[in-house]
Structures are given as structure tokens and as C-alpha cells.
Amino acid sequence: GNSVTQMEGPVTLSEEAFLTINCTYTATGYPSLFWYVQYPGEGLQLLLKATKADDKGSNKGFEATYRKETTSFHLEKGSVQVSDSAVYFCALSDYGGSQGNLIFGKGTKLSVKP
Amino acid sequence: EADIYQTPRYLVIGTGKKITLECSQTMGHDKMYWYQQDPGMELHLIHYSYGVNSTEKGDLSSESTVSRIRTEHFPLTLESARPSHTSQYLCASSGGLAGAYEQYFGPGTRLTVT
């Protein structure tokens, strides 16, 4: 079945450090891939998405590239800020395997120190 | 402004009480979802609906029930609350456009059963 595996946290970085959160997936068809962010006390917000191989999603300085050959969708940011402290979820949607429902990873908590 | 709303945001209630968590969206989305989020952050799909009068159970067994009488409204009910129901409940909706499937989340209801 479909699944998403993302790196376990927590991840603690200093301000302006480079961020990578790894995400790999297993899917039966041609999934769309997503990164969501959850700030403390809030619901999830869509951060970025990619709908086909080699697509790059980007938003607020974050980027992720849909790599079909490695079944990966790693999240990166060149210089993190304290305001980026949150929980990040990788997700996929595969109509063939999950009826279009989202399959989420377990989340990675990021803490950025000043 | 199109949005998704959840009430109440916080609820503390005694064992055995009946409760209804409200969820409404103004985006005209056909698909709606309820997730339970445990303290370790992982999301579990407990109910979903693909339209009016359609409801399905999700991946995690839940004693709650849902209804979908109107497109914009997807309430979740617990007939008799127990301490094991203490959790964060997140509602989401999706327009289900082909190739997209991103979901939009409400702010969540944090339920505590004493």
C-alpha cells in the first residue's frame, strides 16, 4: 500500500542554518506530493506541492523536488528563521491507491534557536 | 473569504457526556475529513465524506460518528465521552480537482475528557 516515511525529529538548528527534512514514499500510481506545516496551536497549512516527476514546489523560501527515480520529496531551506519553528508533514495523494485521500508521514518537529 | 471553521477550539468535558464537534467550510468542497492527532503529532484519518449523504470510516477505528447533510457542514459526535477520547481533532476539506487533492485544514479542536 501507499506510505510516506520522513525523518524523525526533533530537529534543532541555529538561525540561518541550512535545513533538510528527508521524505521518501511508496505509491502504486502517480501520486501528487505535498509538504504541510503546523505551527503551535494551529491546524495544518499547505506549504508546497508537486504533481508530477521533476516538478519543484516552492514557497516562503522552502523548496522540494519530486524525484521519481529515488521516490523522494525532500524539503529544503537555505536559511531558517526562528519563525520557521513548527512541525512539518510530508504527504502523498494517489487516486489509484488511496482514493485521493492524503497519506501523511509522522511529522518532523523543527526548533530554530536565535 | 473562503475558509474552514471548527468550534469549539477547546473543550473540557466530563466522562459520559455527549459532545458534537462542529466543522464548516465556505469553499464549496465536496470532500471533507476528520483526523485525530495524538500527542506525538501523528495524524490518523477517522472519517471522511465525498459528498452529501456519503460518509466512510477512516484508517483508525473511532467510536465517533459523523453526518453530512449539507455540503458545507461535517459535524463529529461522541455519544459518551471517555478519557481515551482526549486528543486534538482536525477537520479538512478538499476540492478534489484531478491531479491536486490538496486538503485545507481548520484550526482544530482540543478535547479533554476528565
Side-chain angles (χ1 to χ4, degrees), chain A residues 32 34 36 38 41-44 46 49 51 87 89 93 95 98-109, chain B residues 9-10 31 33 35 37 40-43 45 48 50 59 88 90 94 99-108:
Chain A
S32 295
F34 307 87
Y36 280 82
Q38 185 178 29
E42 298 183 11
L44 277 69
L46 179 65
K49 69 179 182 182
T51 58
V87 180
F89 292 90
S93 177
Y95 190 81
S98 59
Q99 304 168 326
N101 292 344
L102 289 180
I103 307 297
F104 285 93
K106 293 185 177 182
T108 302
K109 184 175 183 178
Chain B
R9 290 292 312 276
Y10 303 92
K31 298 180 180 180
Y33 310 83
Y35 293 88
Q37 186 172 30
M41 305 173 300
E42 190 170 357
L43 292 162
L45 180 66
Y48 60 98
Y50 285 167
D59 306 319
Q88 168 92 324
L90 294 169
S94 170
Y101 304 114
E102 63 258 37
Q103 293 179 14
Y104 298 86
F105 283 78

Side-chain angles (χ1 to χ4, degrees), chain A residues 53-85:
Chain A
D54 299 326
D55 267 1
K56 177 186 283 188
S58 62
N59 186 24
K60 298 180 181 180
F62 291 89
E63 293 183 340
T65 301
Y66 188 161
R67 302 285 188 199
K68 193 167 178 64
E69 64 276 12
T70 54
T71 62
S72 66
F73 193 54
H74 304 322
L75 182 68
E76 296 181 336
K77 186 176 185 183
S79 177
V80 295
Q81 306 300 311
V82 172
S83 57
D84 293 327
S85 298

